[in-house]
Amino acid sequence: MARPGCIALIGLPGSGKTVLGRQLARRLRLAFADADHEIEARIGCAIREFFEREGEDAFRDVEQTVIADLTQNFQGVLATGGGAVLREANRAALAGRTYTVYLRTHPEELYRRLRHDTSRPLLQTSNPLERLHELSRTRDGFYLQTARSVIDTGRHSAPRLLNMMVMQLELDGAIAPQQSTIG
């Protein structure tokens, strides 16, 4: 396997992609990018506002362009949006151009983390837990199809999850063993 210039994190909303992505980038001394922040910079407003005004399809169009650009031009750790895997073009870009890690989290754990979060448009429903179950059912296969490795997050602490990711990256040859230590 050729060493990718980019390590991408995928998973449901609230699985820890941004938090763990920042920590992983810091630990590996790599740049960090958040696809959602890149999207907001391009659209000039919050994703939730754009999503409500323009609809999901328009949002997914912008997301696809951003994922294509980042997977071609960015070297470092990339946190994707939870729905990035919904489009075949995104799955192909992620699987083909990055080392992709699926942060797999059960809907009940996600609900515990996100129940007070009003910034996620897809969870603004009368039953967010059922919505998380639905998202998990429809997206899990796409995440598995795209990922080179899967980390079950459970209730592990961020430092433990970070160590698990680094170990997996080392075992798979995506990073050199010495790259994972802070000098």
Side-chain angles (χ1 to χ4, degrees):
M1 169 181 98
R3 286 191 42 193
C6 183
I7 299 166
L9 304 182
I10 60 174
L12 289 169
S15 60
K17 299 177 300 287
T18 299
V19 170
L20 291 170
R22 273 196 185 98
Q23 292 177 11
L24 181 63
R26 189 175 312 119
R27 180 149 171 197
L28 300 179
R29 296 186 182 132
L30 297 171
F32 173 75
D34 185 309
D36 285 347
H37 292 158
E38 294 291 323
I39 291 167
E40 288 181 336
R42 290 191 191 192
I43 61 178
C45 63
I47 288 174
R48 181 178 180 178
E49 179 185 330
F50 185 84
F51 208 92
E52 290 170 356
R53 188 179 66 234
E54 304 293 330
E56 185 172 358
D57 285 342
F59 168 75
R60 297 292 173 206
D61 289 343
V62 175
E63 180 180 55
Q64 183 175 329
T65 300
V66 168
I67 293 291
D69 290 349
L70 288 170
T71 59
Q72 287 175 359
N73 302 311
F74 177 73
Q75 294 192 11
V77 178
L78 169 63
T80 65
V85 297
L86 293 174
R87 290 207 172 165
E88 171 58 34
N90 293 344
R91 293 191 304 272
L94 289 164
R97 299 183 197 133
T98 75
Y99 181 97
T100 308
V101 178
Y102 172 20
L103 298 177
R104 190 179 214 175
T105 310
H106 293 287
E108 289 78 11
E109 177 61 20
L110 292 170
Y111 179 72
R112 186 184 69 75
R113 295 178 193 173
L114 300 174
R115 65 182 175 263
H116 301 297
D117 187 339
T118 60
S119 68
R120 299 169 191 268
L122 291 176
L123 298 181
Q124 303 313 305
T125 70
S126 60
N127 190 342
L129 178 57
E130 178 52 38
R131 181 66 173 140
L132 288 165
H133 276 284
E134 179 186 322
L135 291 173
S136 180
R137 281 189 302 271
T138 59
R139 295 179 181 181
D140 188 62
F142 292 139
Y143 292 134
L144 292 170
Q145 173 188 348
T146 307
R148 292 199 189 170
S149 68
V150 178
I151 302 289
D152 284 305
T153 64
R155 288 199 169 204
H156 298 298
S157 67
R160 181 177 173 121
L161 289 169
L162 185 62
N163 286 336
M164 291 166 62
M165 275 196 295
V166 168
M167 244 192 311
Q168 190 63 54
L169 291 164
E170 288 174 347
L171 286 171
D172 288 349
I175 60 170
Q178 67 275 6
Q179 188 178 359
S180 69
T181 59
I182 297 175

